[in-house]
Amino acid sequence: MKEKESIPKNNINDIWFIMFYSLALFGSYLLTTPLSYSHGNLLKVFVFLVSLMNILRIPLFNKIQSCKLIFSLMILLISILSFLRTGNFIIISFSLLLIGSTNIDFHLIVKVYFFTALVTLIIVFLCAKKGIIANFDSIGKNGQIVHAYGSIYYTNFAAHIFYIVLAYSLLKKFEFNYLDYIITFLISFWLIFKYTTRLDGYLVFILLLTIIFKKKLFTLLANKLVKKVMIIIPIFLIFLELLLCVTYKYNGIYYELDKIFSNRLSQSYIGFNNYSIKLFGQQIQMQGYGGVSAAQHAFVKYFYLDSSFVQLLLIEGLVFFVLILVLLFYNNYKFLNKNAYILCISLLLVTISSLVDENLIFVAYNFTLLATFANVDKFSVRKDENSKELFI
């Protein structure tokens, strides 16, 4: 009599991750919708529990290096201390999913993200169109009414689209066919000119250009000097933005830049003037244009810190801000060291997005930092011995 074949340990490990990461992602996405007002606490408990279950996978199916364990505990401790001061649940969900991605193939992470985020976006979009959940209206850049399609604000909906397109591009390893090019261009055109979300529209267009010229970019990034420069570019951009915010003046080049970035520099300047930087963060009351309070804006003064890095420094605190800088630097170094150039390009686009938007540590949007403890070898560029061309 034949013995029953047991399921390989690696398969159980992957299935466990897929199940609980997709559930955490689904719950996190719903927290970016109007359901966060009516069922926010329930969704947070749900995301916390499934993220915790994902971490339990690690000691059951994995051998953890001592350095990874120490770094993971440090991330968890800093996140808890920052959460206790700010009450920001995003910090906890981010750290749990970051640690929970240990020893997982990053290609699998991207795949789960893409399908879960896409399906959830479609469901939420249809529910908003049918009136099942609120479909908030806002005034776009050209003065026309734009819908949030189930998101709290219309720029959040655009951000979901950008990250889904980015995930799709990574799954295709920047190898697009004609249909991919056409669809991506149309998405970019719609976001910029019809939906008036310039940031995400331009990012999708820049992504499209990098895919078109990927071979030249790969050759350029293979250069040792260029690699050294690329490692520091994200950190340089972050500190440049913070410098502009702190030294902002209501005239000259500052004023012109502020108009381009929709008053983000002046708003951040107000933030730095009114609040000091704390080690583990503080609660800051902000008033934006989205959500259920949108109708009150005629009577309530607008104040919002849109930049992820300004929020991290002023709200989450100096220690958590430094932690994120370390993660960005480490992942960038890791991608370049592994010749995973498309991941390096993706992280740069995410950094640019995060200079303007607040989505860097929102797991419903940004998946790139989950590569920290994951395996990225499938994205490494290799050289064909015969043609000498670079390929993934």
Side-chain angles (χ1 to χ4, degrees):
M1 189 175 180
K2 286 186 178 179
E3 292 184 4
K4 289 184 178 179
E5 291 185 3
S6 61
I7 301 174
K9 203 172 184 179
N10 286 342
N11 287 357
I12 299 175
N13 183 50
D14 288 349
I15 291 168
W16 186 306
F17 173 80
I18 291 168
M19 180 169 62
F20 288 110
Y21 173 49
S22 59
L23 288 172
L25 187 55
F26 177 73
S28 298
Y29 191 113
L30 294 183
L31 281 169
T32 70
T33 72
L35 292 176
S36 62
Y37 297 114
S38 56
H39 300 85
N41 289 334
L42 181 63
L43 286 170
K44 287 174 184 177
V45 170
F46 173 76
V47 172
F48 174 76
L49 291 176
V50 294
S51 299
L52 204 59
M53 286 298 295
N54 198 27
I55 286 183
L56 293 177
R57 165 193 65 80
I58 300 170
L60 291 175
F61 305 107
N62 296 268
K63 291 180 181 178
I64 296 197
Q65 299 171 340
S66 56
C67 58
K68 279 187 179 181
L69 179 61
I70 293 169
F71 194 28
S72 297
L73 291 174
M74 185 184 73
I75 291 170
L76 201 55
L77 177 61
I78 292 172
S79 299
I80 290 171
L81 290 172
S82 185
F83 168 73
L84 292 174
R85 289 297 302 271
T86 64
N88 186 3
F89 175 74
I90 298 299
I91 301 169
I92 296 297
S93 62
F94 167 76
S95 60
L96 289 178
L97 284 176
L98 181 72
I99 297 167
S101 301
T102 300
N103 295 343
I104 293 293
D105 188 336
F106 189 60
H107 189 271
L108 177 63
I109 294 174
V110 177
K111 185 181 290 186
V112 175
Y113 173 87
F114 172 72
F115 286 107
T116 306
L118 179 62
V119 170
T120 309
L121 180 140
I122 293 170
I123 292 171
V124 169
F125 176 86
L126 293 175
C127 287
K129 293 291 284 183
K130 294 291 184 181
I132 299 171
I133 60 175
N135 188 7
F136 295 130
D137 293 332
S138 299
I139 305 297
K141 294 291 185 297
N142 57 7
Q144 70 181 41
I145 299 293
V146 289
H147 303 292
Y149 299 120
S151 291
I152 292 174
Y153 193 47
Y154 76 104
T155 56
N156 297 109
F157 180 73
H160 281 301
I161 293 175
F162 162 65
Y163 280 101
I164 288 171
V165 172
L166 181 62
Y168 177 78
S169 303
L170 288 174
L171 289 179
K172 295 279 288 190
K173 296 184 177 179
F174 282 26
E175 292 291 339
F176 271 20
N177 56 38
Y178 289 117
L179 184 60
D180 292 327
Y181 283 123
I182 292 169
I183 292 173
T184 306
F185 175 77
L186 290 176
I187 290 172
S188 173
F189 181 89
W190 181 77
L191 287 173
I192 297 170
F193 297 105
K194 298 297 182 181
Y195 205 53
T196 68
T197 48
R198 294 173 299 172
L199 172 68
D200 296 294
Y202 288 137
L203 286 173
V204 171
F205 185 71
I206 292 169
L207 175 62
L208 185 61
L209 291 178
T210 60
I211 293 169
I212 293 171
F213 298 107
K214 62 182 177 297
K215 289 184 179 179
K216 290 184 178 180
L217 284 172
F218 290 170
T219 303
L220 184 65
L221 289 170
N223 181 280
K224 289 182 179 180
L225 179 60
V226 175
K227 279 187 177 183
K228 290 178 180 178
V229 174
M230 277 297 295
I231 288 174
I232 63 171
I233 282 180
I235 305 300
F236 170 78
L237 291 175
I238 294 164
F239 279 101
L240 177 61
E241 180 191 45
L242 293 176
L243 179 65
L244 290 171
C245 293
V246 172
T247 62
Y248 180 78
K249 293 175 177 59
Y250 290 92
N251 54 49
I253 186 74
Y254 286 97
Y255 183 72
E256 296 303 320
L257 283 172
D258 197 36
K259 284 198 296 185
I260 293 171
F261 291 104
S262 304
N263 301 321
R264 282 169 169 83
L265 294 181
S266 57
Q267 287 291 301
S268 298
Y269 175 72
I270 293 169
F272 280 112
N273 274 349
N274 292 344
Y275 300 94
S276 59
I277 298 170
K278 308 289 186 183
L279 274 180
F280 292 102
Q282 61 194 312
Q283 292 186 0
I284 294 179
Q285 188 65 40
M286 296 190 290
Q287 177 63 59
Y289 285 135
V292 295
S293 61
Q296 302 171 11
H297 288 158
F299 311 103
V300 179
K301 189 175 180 180
Y302 177 87
F303 171 66
Y304 207 90
L305 304 172
D306 282 288
S307 166
S308 292
F309 302 106
V310 174
Q311 280 197 20
L312 286 169
L313 190 54
L314 285 179
I315 299 178
E316 275 70 56
L318 180 62
V319 178
F320 192 80
F321 172 77
V322 171
L323 171 64
I324 296 300
L325 291 187
V326 170
L327 291 176
L328 283 170
F329 182 85
Y330 170 75
N331 277 294
N332 208 21
Y333 173 81
K334 175 181 177 179
F335 297 157
L336 288 167
N337 191 48
K338 293 274 189 178
N339 297 330
Y341 302 137
I342 63 174
L343 294 183
C344 177
I345 293 167
S346 299
L347 190 61
L348 180 59
L349 292 176
V350 168
T351 302
I352 294 169
S353 172
S354 302
L355 292 171
V356 181
D357 272 349
E358 60 182 341
N359 304 320
L360 182 65
I361 64 168
F362 280 56
V363 291
Y365 300 100
N366 182 24
F367 55 87
T368 57
L369 290 179
L370 299 186
T372 303
F373 300 126
N375 185 339
V376 300
D377 289 344
K378 283 188 178 178
F379 293 97
S380 295
V381 169
R382 296 175 296 281
K383 183 180 285 187
D384 187 280
E385 292 301 324
N386 295 319
S387 65
K388 302 298 180 182
E389 287 190 357
L390 299 173
F391 69 96
I392 302 175

